[in-house]
């Protein structure tokens, strides 16, 4: 089975704060990490490789320092890595990024499965995975918890607001992976990190993947960001006071008013 | 030595941090600390090549390791110290214990023993210290006598006692220093050897989970090929040869533990509201308890890394530099942990917060691998010779280098570092003229002043670089301000403490204070408060409250 995993290097947002005045991120001293959803996607690609054999290629677009996340994926067991790095990609929005990644996937060659994280923790758009599927004209399944492959079919558990559903699709398919709460992601041992240095890591430019110049970078990006600001805080909840029976009857009143229970 | 690349190093440390987060939470460390218990299972996992395999970093690649160089090793030491100094000490002990083999072993011994340490993940201990022989190893009383068969030495019988041996009670193999008929020599002793026994796990002030034990050797037999290097009498030379970088490793422990305490305090200061605002906004708090420690730790970092890169180049020994790095970093780490308790107030004094444990732990770095006082003596002895040999040009040369740096890059405090080095030169010359080194106190205080002046120069050199080391978490504005603050203090300390030393022992010759450059050192203090305010602000930006 041939799998391509699309990943992104992101600032560790647990360490990022938003400047309340300007609404911009304070990035001083913030380390970069492999987007945790993508990390989970890498874990799944390797799990499927262990079951079914084949090859896992990891792909990212970013500046030269994004090599670090590819090295991590290689150390975890991916077979080869591609970095799309070119000034021409600078300023790409999710549309242009999806296009560039799809071009790179085509250049990589035949594939059965593409895995992405459901979203990146810096932008939180959840658009790039679906965008890649669209560009490649293949089916997509988003917010997946687990994948089983039988023959030429993938059986996927995807989570929905009030539970989960099982979906089947023919290969090739693109799945975006969600990350179960408190799931311990795998980390490579020291010798695995060292061994990864001898694996293939290619750097491709826009020309290498045959990207049309007007479809990448700022030119190829229909989205314009006008303002970045933290969402307003939710209104505070109501706090009841009084004795237990007083508070219970107040709660009952509200539940009746809102039609949660019959009067 | 080339060592690892920055990306690999970063990934390895991420794995180490993630492992620690999962398997060595503070609650467990606190429990092990309370019970005085060595976490054998944790060490086993850390040496497991499928989980971490951390020991491989310490082993040359030709013997199955990853061939980390001095810089890599100081970095991993700092990372370990952030997690726990007891665990760091246990890993370090394996490294130290295998050092005599690496430095003095025959090719066959290296292949056999280093290969086994890599593959079998053996815990190793370094058995030099004795009840009556610490830094003074010449007083060694453990004896190794020949076992002769058919006129040929086939083995040795070793008898004696060792004290304060890290990993002593848990190591699989111990390198033992013993007086052989041909002089002090290192021997490899396996824990299963008949006549070998370890005493109880010592009940220590800090690093309580690290196993420290006395060893007893009662007529222990080892075959002749367990004599490291195959030639007797090389033991002290082999022990001395590695001090440059083993002391650098302990320096990195001081750095890591110090920063762990300081980060805790900086994050806390942003949460704790007093008199209408967080402590982090209070100048009196930040400039007393936080900023000076950040400055000293970063100065020590600059010195450690400069020395590591020199050792990874083609320089050897650097024992004086190793001593300066250790003295600067471990004393800074110790003071930082002390101030971190103060910074957390009542909370800092409880075991619910980690700083009191760090304080107890980090104290050992001022003691093991040579005490701070032995460092002062080593530094003074090394540089005194340079001063005499160069006829007073040693520090003048360094000061001139700082003058040039000041002209090229005026924002790193190189001018103040030049003042410190010139004042040091004047003090050394006066000490020579009045023959004041006959007072041990004068010599040792000189050791401290030398370390301070040289660290100021190293910090200025590092802060003037266009790209900082990966370990620096601050931008140029902050790091250069730190360098200026350190250099200013060094300039004034060298003048005042140097004068005090000389006045205390003899007359102060006319014109000495002028020659010292006291006026310039005083003038250099301008702007100090502004710089410290800037550093305070930057520290809270980098180490945000969680």
């Amino acid at each position: 089975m041939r799998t391509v995993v699309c990943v992104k290097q992101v600032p560790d947002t647990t360490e990022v704060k938003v400047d309340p005045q300007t609404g911009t991120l304070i990035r001083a001293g913030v380390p970069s990490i492999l987007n945790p959803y993508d990390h989970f996607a890498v874990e799944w690609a390797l799990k499927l490789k262990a079951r079914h054999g084949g090859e896992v290629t990891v792909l990212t677009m970013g500046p030269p320092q994004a090599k670090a996340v590819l090295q991590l994926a290689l150390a975890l067991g991916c077979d080869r890595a591609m970095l799309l790095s070119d000034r021409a990609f600078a300023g790409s929005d999710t549309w242009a990024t999806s296009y560039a990644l799809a071009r790179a996937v085509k250049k990589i060659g035949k594939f059965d499965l593409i895995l992405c994280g459901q979203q990146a923790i810096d932008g939180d758009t959840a658009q790039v995975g679906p965008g890649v599927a669209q560009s490649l004209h293949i089916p997509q399944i988003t917010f997946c918890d687990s994948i089983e492959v039988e023959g030429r079919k993938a059986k996927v558990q995807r989570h929905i607001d009030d539970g989960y559903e099982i979906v089947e699709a023919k290969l090739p398919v693109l799945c975006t992976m969600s990350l179960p709460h408190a799931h311990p992601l795998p980390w490579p041992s020291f010798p695995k990190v060292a061994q990864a240095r001898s694996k293939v890591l290619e750097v491709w430019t826009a020309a290498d993947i045959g990207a049309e110049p007007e479809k990448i970078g700022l030119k190829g990006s229909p989205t314009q960001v006008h303002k970045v600001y933290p969402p307003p805080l939710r209104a505070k909840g109501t706090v009841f006071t009084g004795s237990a029976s007083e508070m219970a009857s107040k709660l009952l009143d509200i539940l009746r008013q809102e039609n949660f229970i019959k009067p | 030595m080339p060592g690892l690349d920055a990306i690999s190093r970063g990934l390895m440390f991420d794995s180490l941090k993630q492992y620690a987060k999962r398997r060595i939470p503070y609650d467990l460390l606190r429990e092990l600390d309370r019970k005085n218990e060595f976490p054998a299972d944790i060490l086993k996992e850390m040496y497991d090549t499928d989980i971490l395999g951390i020991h491989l970093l310490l082993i040359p690649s030709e013997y199955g390791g990853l061939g980390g160089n001095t810089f890599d090793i100081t970095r991993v030491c700092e990372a370990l110290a952030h997690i726990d100094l007891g665990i760091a000490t246990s890993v370090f002990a394996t490294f130290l214990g295998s050092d005599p083999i690496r430095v003095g072993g025959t090719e066959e011994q290296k292949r056999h023993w280093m290969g086994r340490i890599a593959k079998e993940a053996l815990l190793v201990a370094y058995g030099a210290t004795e009840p009556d022989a610490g830094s003074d190893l010449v007083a060694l009383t453990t004896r190794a006598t020949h076992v002769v068969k058919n006129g040929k030495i086939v083995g040795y019988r070793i008898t004696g006692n060792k004290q304060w041996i890290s990993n002593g009670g848990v190591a699989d193999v111990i390198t033992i220093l013993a007086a052989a008929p041909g002089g002090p020599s290192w021997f490899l002793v396996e824990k299963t050897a008949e006549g070998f026994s370890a005493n109880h796990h010592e009940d220590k002030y800090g690093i309580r989970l690290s196993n420290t034990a006395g060893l007893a050797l009662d007529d222990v037999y080892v075959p002749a090929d367990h004599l490291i290097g195959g030639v007797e009498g090389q033991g002290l030379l082999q022990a001395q040869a590695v001090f440059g970088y083993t002391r650098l490793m302990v320096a990195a422990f001081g750095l890591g533990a110090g920063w762990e305490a300081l980060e805790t305090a900086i994050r806390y200061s942003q949460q704790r509201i007093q008199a209408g605002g967080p402590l982090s906004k209070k100048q009196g708090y930040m400039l007393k308890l936080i900023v000076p420690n950040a400055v000293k730790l970063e100065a020590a970092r600059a010195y450690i890394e400069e020395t590591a890169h020199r050792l990874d180049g083609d320089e050897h020994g650097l024992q004086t530099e190793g001593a300066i790095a250790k003295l600067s970093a471990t004393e800074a780490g110790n003071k930082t942990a002390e101030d971190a308790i103060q910074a957390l107030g009542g909370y800092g004094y409880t075991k619910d917060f980690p700083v009191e444990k760090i304080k107890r732990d980090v104290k050992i770095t001022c003691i093991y691998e040579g005490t701070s006082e032995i460092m002062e003596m080593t530094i003074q002895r090394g540089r005194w010779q340079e001063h005499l040999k160069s006829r007073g040009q040693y520090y003048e040369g360094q000061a001139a280098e700082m003058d040039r740096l000041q002209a090229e890059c005026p924002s790193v405090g190189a001018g103040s570092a030049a003042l410190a080095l010139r004042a040091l030169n004047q003090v050394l010359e006066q000490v020579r003229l009045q023959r004041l080194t006959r007072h041990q106190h004068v010599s040792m205080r000189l050791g401290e002043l030398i370390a301070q002046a040289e660290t100021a120069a190293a910090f200025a050199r590092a802060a003037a670089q266009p790209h900082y080391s990966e370990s620096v978490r601050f931008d140029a504005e902050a790091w250069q301000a730190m360098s200026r603050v350190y250099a200013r203090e060094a300039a004034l300390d060298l003048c005042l403490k140097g004068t005090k030393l000389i006045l205390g022992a003899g007359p102060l010759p006319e014109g000495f204070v002028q020659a010292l450059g006291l006026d310039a050192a005083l003038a250099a203090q301008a702007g100090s408060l502004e710089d410290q305010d800037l550093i305070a602000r930057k520290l809270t930006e980098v180490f945000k409250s969680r």
Side-chain angles (χ1 to χ4, degrees), chain B residues 451-491:
Chain B
Q452 198 179 358
E454 289 199 24
T455 304
F459 200 177
R461 275 192 293 272
Q465 299 288 326
H467 298 291
Y468 295 156
S469 148
E470 71 207 36
S471 59
V472 177
R473 308 250 332 236
F474 308 99
D475 61 15
E477 199 187 4
W479 225 47
Q480 293 187 357
M482 289 181 186
S483 181
R484 289 194 295 273
V485 169
Y486 191 87
R488 277 193 196 103
E489 179 127 347

Side-chain angles (χ1 to χ4, degrees), chain A residues 15 29 187-191 197, chain B residues 5 15 18 49 52 544 546:
Chain A
E15 291 277 333
W187 295 89
S189 70
F190 282 33
R197 288 187 293 182
Chain B
D5 59 289
S15 287
Q18 292 293 334
T49 50
L52 279 179
K544 301 166 200 74
R546 289 204 168 113

Side-chain angles (χ1 to χ4, degrees), chain A residues 14-17 26-33 64-73 75 184-197, chain B residues 3-5 7-9 11-16 18-19 22 48-57 66 76 267 270 473 540-546:
Chain A
T14 55
E15 291 277 333
V16 174
K17 262 193 190 167
I26 306 174
R27 291 216 37 184
V30 177
S32 293
I33 58 168
Q65 55 267 33
K67 266 185 192 169
V69 296
L70 296 179
Q71 289 285 4
L72 171 57
L185 290 165
W187 295 89
S189 70
F190 282 33
K192 286 279 189 299
V193 171
Q195 285 155 18
R197 288 187 293 182
Chain B
L4 301 170
D5 59 289
I7 288 180
S8 299
R9 210 163 28 236
L11 291 177
M12 287 177 188
F13 298 165
D14 284 346
S15 287
L16 176 61
Q18 292 293 334
Y19 172 81
R22 211 171 53 244
D48 184 329
T49 50
D50 287 329
I51 299 173
L52 279 179
I54 193 169
H55 64 300
L56 295 181
L57 197 58
L66 299 174
V76 79
R267 294 188 205 279
Q270 294 163 73
R473 308 250 332 236
T540 49
E541 268 178 31
V542 173
F543 303 107
K544 301 166 200 74
S545 63
R546 289 204 168 113

Side-chain angles (χ1 to χ4, degrees), chain B residues 159-357:
Chain B
T159 298
N161 291 296
K162 295 288 171 184
Q163 180 110 330
W164 315 132
I165 307 304
S166 296
N167 283 357
V170 294
D172 304 294
V173 183
I174 304 96
T175 44
I176 293 280
L177 185 66
S185 311
W186 288 98
F187 295 91
L188 285 149
V189 177
E190 294 189 64
K191 73 170 175 193
T192 47
E194 205 174 319
F196 174 83
S197 61
N199 297 338
H200 66 277
H201 179 141
E202 297 281 358
D203 187 5
K204 303 187 295 293
Y205 172 62
I207 59 164
R208 290 169 56 78
L209 64 78
S210 164
N211 176 281
T212 311
L215 306 177
L217 294 103
D218 181 16
D219 210 25
V220 172
Y221 176 78
V222 295
D225 64 3
H226 283 38
L227 165 67
I228 294 178
V231 182
E232 294 173 14
Q234 303 297 306
L236 293 185
L237 278 176
Q238 290 161 354
Q240 287 287 332
V242 297
F243 274 147
Y245 65 81
T246 56
R247 285 178 174 161
L248 219 49
M249 293 166 71
V250 177
F253 283 174
L255 190 60
W259 264 117
E260 183 62 26
L262 197 60
E263 283 183 34
T264 306
I266 296 168
R267 294 188 205 279
Y268 171 85
S269 73
Q270 294 163 73
Q271 292 164 342
R272 174 75 167 165
I273 309 291
Q274 287 290 285
L279 289 174
S280 58
K281 298 277 184 209
K282 304 201 185 297
Q283 190 193 42
Y285 174 93
M286 293 299 284
L287 269 54
K288 180 184 179 191
L289 299 173
I290 306 291
V291 172
N293 292 309
V295 168
K296 280 184 199 141
L297 289 169
E298 287 306 280
R301 173 190 306 289
Y303 199 91
I304 290 170
E305 294 193 358
E306 184 178 278
T307 307
H309 290 312
R310 287 175 64 187
L311 283 168
D312 288 331
D314 45 10
E315 294 188 63
H316 297 284
L318 300 187
Q319 287 181 27
T320 307
E321 283 78 0
I324 291 175
K326 181 176 186 292
L327 180 69
S328 300
T330 63
E331 288 294 332
N334 188 48
K335 176 73 167 77
T336 303
E338 167 95 14
D339 284 352
I341 296 180
Q342 190 72 12
L344 266 70
Y347 295 111
Y349 201 63
T350 69
K351 290 185 189 288
D352 292 334
F353 286 78
V355 288
E356 71 81 30
K357 177 176 165 296

Side-chain angles (χ1 to χ4, degrees), chain A residues 45-112:
Chain A
L46 295 169
K47 207 181 273 185
L48 293 171
K49 181 189 161 184
R51 283 180 202 159
H52 306 286
E55 192 188 56
V56 178
T57 304
V58 59
L59 171 66
T60 195
M61 185 168 107
Q65 55 267 33
K67 266 185 192 169
V69 296
L70 296 179
Q71 289 285 4
L72 171 57
L74 291 173
L76 285 168
C78 293
D79 300 286
R80 58 193 185 125
M82 311 299 162
L83 169 64
L84 302 187
S85 200
D86 195 322
R87 283 189 181 277
F89 293 129
S92 293
D93 66 0
T94 55
W95 179 266
T97 303
S98 307
Y99 166 76
L101 291 174
R103 294 291 317 172
V105 170
K106 277 189 185 154
K107 182 172 160 117
I108 288 166
K110 283 188 96 177
F111 61 89
D112 303 298

Side-chain angles (χ1 to χ4, degrees), chain B residues 424-441:
Chain B
L424 172 61
N425 205 27
Q426 292 293 327
V427 172
L428 288 173
E429 192 52 17
Q430 203 47 233
V431 166
R432 183 185 72 81
L433 290 170
Q434 297 194 35
R435 300 173 56 208
L436 297 182
T437 52
R438 65 184 188 276
H439 303 292
Q440 193 183 34
H441 178 65

